[in-house]
Amino acid sequence: MLDDDIDTESNPPLRVGVLGARGRMGIEVCKAVNAAEDMELVAMVDAGDWLFNVSDAGAEVVIDFTRPDVVMDNLHWCIDQGIHSVVGTSGFTPDRLEQLNTWLAPKPDLGVVIAPNFGIGAVLMMRFAQQAAKYFDSVEVIERHHPNKVDAPSGTAVRTAELIADARATAGMGAAPDATSQSLAGARGAEVEGVRVHSIRSAGSIAHQEVLFGATGETLVLKHDSTDRASFMPGVLLAARRVSDLPGLTFGIDTLLD
Ligand SMILES: NC(=O)C1=CN([C@@H]2O[C@H](COP(=O)(O)OP(=O)(O)OC[C@H]3O[C@@H](n4cnc5c(N)ncnc54)[C@H](OP(=O)(O)O)[C@@H]3O)[C@@H](O)[C@H]2O)C=CC1
Ligand SMILES: O=C(O)C1=N[C@H](C(=O)O)C[C@H](O)C1
């Protein structure tokens, strides 16, 4: 559904390098790139491997699913090398995005696409949450992930909370009127721009989120489940195909879907 018209006759395959290639997402990305007729997987790099494997192999686009603590160094290197990047790794604060813009400034033709979530359903959930936000006084985000996730809250939950907070501010709404008092630290979750976010880590889970809205006499629950990491691949491949035509920094894949 997200496939572009792919002309494999006249165009040489897109040369792709994957960072974090031995991780949960990296393995899935390598599989998806290998299966894409218009792409060639030219480099697989994981912790301890030499980044220059990517440039030596002539990669045009790097796909990074590594860790929040290493992704900025990877991106700095890719930008220096003039390689476009598609990034799923979480942990992008406004400061980090500003830093990336500084690094990108002298490279006007280079593209970086960063998405908190490449799943189409998750992108729509965030969009719907943003639309619903101004109609409900109460809102909380509950995310659930596999037990080995390194960060909490998830990047998706943070982005969802930011979008909700923006929509509430635009509508002139204040903070949610609900009690924040707690007799045990953490019971009311973490606060992201005034929106409560709750993180669950559990065996048997992959990536799940609910956004719970409340108003007098009614609730609205937006729920999204990634039950397989394959769910992220159409979005990742779409971004890889488009990134060279998107100079500068693109945050989220919303604009690529419309
Ligand atoms: N945007 C999206 O749609 C999605 C985003 N994610 C995000 O992607 C990231 C990765 O998730 P996941 O695959 O589950 O994590 P994993 O821990 O399974 O994979 C990360 C891999 O990167 C490796 N790595 C560490 N440092 C480097 C480095 N400097 N260069 C290259 N590789 C390195 C790790 O090695 P080692 O284990 O030895 O450290 C590991 O193999 C997370 O931030 C997660 O939140 C996940 C799913 C979807
Ligand atoms: O670590 C994961 O698994 C995921 N990470 C991303 C996030 O932090 O939001 C995207 C998705 O939720 C899966």
Side-chain angles (χ1 to χ4, degrees), residues 20 23-25 46-47 65-67 70 88 90 115-118 149 232:
R24 285 174 287 265
M25 282 298 289
D46 206 86
F65 281 90
T66 57
R67 302 171 53 101
V70 302
S90 48
N117 201 309
F118 282 99
K149 183 163 174 58
F232 303 112

Side-chain angles (χ1 to χ4, degrees), residues 90 116-117 145-146 149 151 154-157 206-207 232:
S90 48
N117 201 309
H145 279 82
H146 60 90
K149 183 163 174 58
D151 55 334
S154 72
T156 307
I206 301 270
F232 303 112

Side-chain angles (χ1 to χ4, degrees), residues 159-219:
R159 185 64 186 147
T160 307
E162 288 169 353
L163 291 170
I164 291 169
D166 279 358
R168 288 178 71 99
T170 303
M173 297 165 78
D178 311 300
T180 56
S181 55
Q182 48 188 15
S183 46
L184 203 54
R188 290 292 285 114
E191 208 180 318
V192 178
E193 296 195 16
V195 178
R196 296 270 150 188
V197 177
H198 309 264
S199 297
I200 298 164
R201 298 290 172 263
S202 163
S205 303
I206 301 270
H208 316 263
Q209 181 167 293
E210 288 184 25
V211 186
L212 172 65
F213 291 101
T216 307
E218 62 174 333
T219 56

Side-chain angles (χ1 to χ4, degrees), residues 92-254:
F92 282 90
T93 58
D95 282 355
R96 284 185 165 204
L97 298 177
E98 199 182 314
Q99 175 66 77
L100 286 173
N101 276 322
T102 308
W103 290 338
L104 279 166
K107 307 258 184 176
D109 298 328
L110 203 60
V112 175
V113 174
I114 299 174
N117 201 309
F118 282 99
I120 174 72
V123 171
L124 291 174
M125 171 190 56
M126 288 187 263
R127 194 183 281 185
F128 298 155
Q130 189 178 21
Q131 283 174 7
K134 68 177 178 186
Y135 300 106
F136 293 89
D137 284 335
S138 299
V139 57
E140 309 235 347
V141 177
I142 304 110
E143 57 99 335
R144 174 166 58 90
H145 279 82
H146 60 90
N148 300 312
K149 183 163 174 58
V150 290
D151 55 334
S154 72
T156 307
V158 171
R159 185 64 186 147
T160 307
E162 288 169 353
L163 291 170
I164 291 169
D166 279 358
R168 288 178 71 99
T170 303
M173 297 165 78
D178 311 300
T180 56
S181 55
Q182 48 188 15
S183 46
L184 203 54
R188 290 292 285 114
E191 208 180 318
V192 178
E193 296 195 16
V195 178
R196 296 270 150 188
V197 177
H198 309 264
S199 297
I200 298 164
R201 298 290 172 263
S202 163
S205 303
I206 301 270
H208 316 263
Q209 181 167 293
E210 288 184 25
V211 186
L212 172 65
F213 291 101
T216 307
E218 62 174 333
T219 56
L220 170 70
V221 182
L222 303 176
K223 182 171 188 288
H224 177 259
D225 298 285
S226 274
T227 55
D228 190 312
R229 290 186 177 85
S231 61
F232 303 112
M233 296 307 123
V236 171
L237 296 189
L238 177 71
R241 290 184 181 112
R242 295 277 188 82
V243 64
S244 62
D245 294 325
L246 295 167
L249 182 59
T250 303
F251 192 68
I253 58 165
D254 264 75

Side-chain angles (χ1 to χ4, degrees), residues 26-57:
I27 290 169
E28 197 69 37
V29 171
C30 290
K31 238 183 351 183
V33 170
N34 271 325
E37 280 180 24
D38 59 332
M39 294 186 190
E40 185 182 354
L41 180 62
V42 296
M44 297 167 64
V45 167
D46 206 86
D49 296 339
W50 208 43
L51 266 179
F52 281 93
N53 290 339
V54 171
S55 45
D56 289 353

